[in-house]
Amino acid sequence: MVATDSVSVFAEGTFSEQIRELVDYLARGRPEEERPAYVQPFTDILETAEGQPAIEEDEARRKNVFTMVLGEVNGLGDGSEKEIEGFFNLLFAHFITLLPLDSSDAKARLVSLLQTIAGSPDQSIIKYRILSNFFNALPRRSNLRLLVYKTLLELASTHDELELLGLSRGDVEKWASEWDISVEEKSEFLQSVASAYTKSGQPEIAFGYTLSYVRSLPSSSPNAQTAAVDAIVDALRLPLYFDFDAFFRLDAVVAAKDHELFSLLQIFLNDGLPEYKAWEEGHADAFAKYGLERPQLERKVRLLSLATLGFQNIGHHLPYSTIASTLQVEQSDVERWVIDVIRAGLLSGRLSQTSQTLHVTRAGIRAFERPQWELLEKRLLAWKTGLAGVLDVIADARRKGGAEAVASTSTASPAGTEVPVPAPTPAPAPPAAAAA
């Protein structure tokens, strides 16, 4: 719903005509007999006394009458959706033109206006359009965009309508980097987006913004360790999250290396079930303390261990017995675990009940460090050797094809003696060409 580029709002008529249009709209909410008295103070300011410059040339008077109009806005007004949207578009155009957007006065007036719009009863859809129009009309670097979007976010979260915003993490991070705001404000904004998705029951999407929030915090921030621990807990809880290597690229997480969950995080990155069981015995109170479930953590460790085993055996047949030993399960349960790891997207392969093996065709890796580079080097050398063998076979076939071509071009003389015909100058043709 909200675009990333600012757009201009154009209005027709003179300044006086536009102000009268705004005032007439506001007057609709009053009894008809009160409307003339309500409009009169605005009319008095708009009229130019003898010796005064026209209001179009008097910035102070324009600002004065506009702030009077702004102070009278106490709701969406009495009009159709089209009229409401038109009123606020015109109001925003003058707001941007007449008020210095980097001033505390503009910020205070905007906060009041946003509260008025968001707090108006009903008509939530038109509110989104009004706020989106204002967001897009503001300069891309304006810090006021933050206030407008936070209002949009709160409105959508309150009414459980986040999907109407059409948010993407790329857009959100780009906006936060563009706006002229402090590091603390940026972090707070990312956290608010994560909280909104958590509230709406979308923990997977929320977690992505949580990582953005933690990434935005310097390791020296007083909130860094708490945020890092919360992110680790969220990652451990999510049943389909397995990319724990990403955590070790976050300054706030690395700074929390003395925390008890950091050692658990390392197990999920590098180790297997024996190491996890040892940690579990030594931190029995951690599960209730952080709301972690033992069966779920154990399942994730098994899946990651199976993926690592698969990565070490890509292109090979893994016996069921080897898988069962690694996962510490019965051999009869191996197929269920393999199906589970394939569904999780960590491995691809073919099961053979006849040979009791898994042929691994693809597998993910938890971390790509020196051992993985060495394994990749061995595979590349093996492929290089294999390709060299194929090239040798092709070259040998071409040589044999050339010899056959020479033999097939021989003819016999009338006296019965063979007269050799010279072979063509170009390189000998392959066997298929010679046969033809």
Side-chain angles (χ1 to χ4, degrees), residues 66-247:
F66 175 70
T67 53
M68 286 176 59
V69 172
L70 203 58
E72 293 296 318
V73 180
N74 54 21
L76 299 184
D78 186 13
S80 65
E81 287 193 358
K82 184 177 180 180
E83 289 174 319
I84 294 172
E85 187 175 0
F87 170 80
F88 280 99
N89 283 347
L90 182 56
L91 192 75
F92 297 150
H94 288 299
F95 187 102
I96 293 170
T97 302
L98 294 172
L99 301 182
L101 298 183
D102 57 351
S103 67
S104 57
D105 178 56
K107 184 174 181 179
R109 293 183 185 280
L110 177 58
V111 168
S112 176
L113 181 59
L114 293 175
Q115 290 174 346
T116 298
I117 295 171
S120 300
D122 304 322
Q123 301 199 63
S124 60
I125 297 300
I126 190 61
K127 292 178 187 177
Y128 292 123
R129 291 217 301 270
I130 291 170
L131 294 171
S132 296
N133 290 343
F134 193 22
F135 179 91
N136 291 327
L138 287 166
R140 293 177 63 176
R141 291 191 56 80
S142 174
N143 57 13
L144 298 186
R145 274 193 161 193
L146 172 62
L147 296 177
V148 177
Y149 208 88
K150 285 177 68 175
T151 304
L152 268 168
L153 189 65
E154 290 168 7
L155 183 65
S157 179
T158 300
H159 292 88
D160 196 21
E161 296 173 335
L162 280 176
E163 69 281 357
L164 293 178
L165 299 184
L167 274 177
S168 75
R169 191 145 52 98
D171 284 341
V172 170
E173 291 180 348
K174 181 182 178 184
W175 293 335
S177 67
E178 289 176 344
W179 299 338
D180 186 15
I181 57 177
S182 66
V183 173
E184 292 75 15
E185 288 175 316
K186 175 182 176 180
S187 298
E188 182 186 354
F189 173 60
L190 294 170
Q191 185 183 31
S192 67
V193 179
S195 299
Y197 276 105
T198 299
K199 181 181 176 182
S200 70
Q202 301 180 68
E204 291 83 6
I205 299 177
F207 181 70
Y209 288 103
T210 296
L211 286 183
S212 298
Y213 164 58
V214 176
R215 194 177 294 114
S216 71
L217 292 170
S219 56
S220 58
S221 169
N223 300 321
Q225 178 159 328
T226 301
V229 171
D230 289 344
I232 293 172
V233 170
D234 289 343
L236 294 171
R237 286 175 181 167
L238 289 174
L240 295 178
Y241 185 80
F242 300 98
D243 185 19
F244 293 96
D245 185 42
F247 275 87

Side-chain angles (χ1 to χ4, degrees), residues 191-424:
Q191 185 183 31
S192 67
V193 179
S195 299
Y197 276 105
T198 299
K199 181 181 176 182
S200 70
Q202 301 180 68
E204 291 83 6
I205 299 177
F207 181 70
Y209 288 103
T210 296
L211 286 183
S212 298
Y213 164 58
V214 176
R215 194 177 294 114
S216 71
L217 292 170
S219 56
S220 58
S221 169
N223 300 321
Q225 178 159 328
T226 301
V229 171
D230 289 344
I232 293 172
V233 170
D234 289 343
L236 294 171
R237 286 175 181 167
L238 289 174
L240 295 178
Y241 185 80
F242 300 98
D243 185 19
F244 293 96
D245 185 42
F247 275 87
F248 292 88
R249 293 190 288 271
L250 300 177
D251 293 341
V253 172
V254 175
K257 61 182 183 298
D258 296 327
H259 195 277
E260 60 183 331
L261 289 184
F262 189 85
S263 57
L264 178 60
L265 192 65
Q266 288 179 308
I267 291 172
F268 275 81
L269 180 67
N270 298 309
D271 300 318
L273 207 56
E275 292 80 7
Y276 169 74
K277 291 288 188 182
W279 188 93
E280 186 180 52
E281 291 178 7
H283 300 82
D285 61 336
F287 295 91
K289 183 178 178 181
Y290 299 107
L292 300 173
E293 297 181 6
R294 295 171 188 258
Q296 181 172 296
L297 294 184
E298 192 170 306
R299 170 186 170 274
K300 292 182 76 168
V301 169
R302 283 196 168 101
L303 293 179
L304 287 168
S305 299
L306 180 51
T308 300
L309 183 64
F311 183 81
Q312 295 166 348
N313 292 275
I314 292 177
H316 297 84
H317 293 278
L318 265 175
Y320 280 16
S321 57
T322 303
I323 298 174
S325 175
T326 300
L327 302 187
Q328 298 182 16
V329 297
E330 296 295 328
Q331 195 162 317
S332 58
D333 292 331
V334 165
E335 291 183 3
R336 178 175 66 84
W337 281 102
V338 171
I339 292 172
D340 209 5
V341 79
I342 290 174
R343 285 176 176 169
L346 297 175
L347 181 145
S348 296
R350 295 188 302 274
L351 286 166
S352 172
Q353 293 182 332
T354 304
S355 62
Q356 294 283 283
T357 59
L358 165 67
H359 180 74
V360 182
T361 57
R362 183 196 65 82
I365 189 64
R366 288 189 266 181
F368 213 91
E369 298 175 349
R370 186 179 181 84
Q372 288 73 39
W373 281 111
E374 291 174 349
L375 181 59
L376 178 61
E377 182 184 25
K378 290 179 181 178
R379 288 179 182 165
L380 289 173
L381 289 173
W383 289 338
K384 182 180 179 180
T385 302
L387 288 172
V390 172
L391 291 174
D392 288 342
V393 171
I394 293 174
D396 185 58
R398 283 181 172 175
R399 284 193 297 271
K400 290 181 179 178
E404 291 175 3
V406 171
S408 65
T409 56
S410 298
T411 60
S413 67
T417 59
E418 292 184 349
V419 180
V421 177

